[in-house]
Amino acid sequence: MRGSDRNAGGVAAAEALALGGLGWLAADPERLDALMGAAGLAPADLAARAAEPEFLGFVLDFILADEARARDFAEESGLGPEDATRARMALPGGDVAHWT
């Protein structure tokens, strides 16, 4: 398998995980309101933005920004503790900065 093929699969899996995260957030009105406020979105905008890889990266950023939220998402979704972080790294803007 070529490197670009593996990367495409990684992106697709990351997008699927982020969509799962969006669904998890949407299942709780308080969490969804917090996401919408952080994103500056109206509810009508959510469906259109859910198809954008950049927005899916934002969804994972939002989940990962709070340790309790990240832990709850992982536990309730049956994910390992680092799965959301790895998925975030595969989406646009998710490159890990190396400060040396």
Side-chain angles (χ1 to χ4, degrees):
M1 181 182 294
R2 296 185 323 235
S4 60
D5 292 338
R6 281 192 304 273
N7 187 37
V11 170
E15 288 176 350
L17 190 143
L19 282 170
L22 182 57
W24 178 79
L25 292 166
D28 180 287
E30 192 172 305
R31 289 189 304 233
L32 183 60
D33 285 346
L35 173 73
M36 300 297 281
L41 292 176
D45 300 328
L46 190 58
R49 298 293 310 270
E52 299 173 7
E54 293 82 5
F55 179 69
L56 294 174
F58 174 79
V59 168
L60 291 178
D61 284 340
F62 179 79
I63 291 171
L64 293 166
D66 180 86
E67 186 176 334
R69 186 170 44 226
R71 183 188 60 244
D72 291 347
F73 170 61
E75 288 176 3
E76 293 175 29
S77 301
L79 299 171
E82 300 297 321
D83 290 344
T85 301
R86 279 194 281 281
R88 178 59 189 108
M89 291 169 46
L91 294 172
D95 300 59
V96 176
H98 297 282
W99 302 98
T100 58

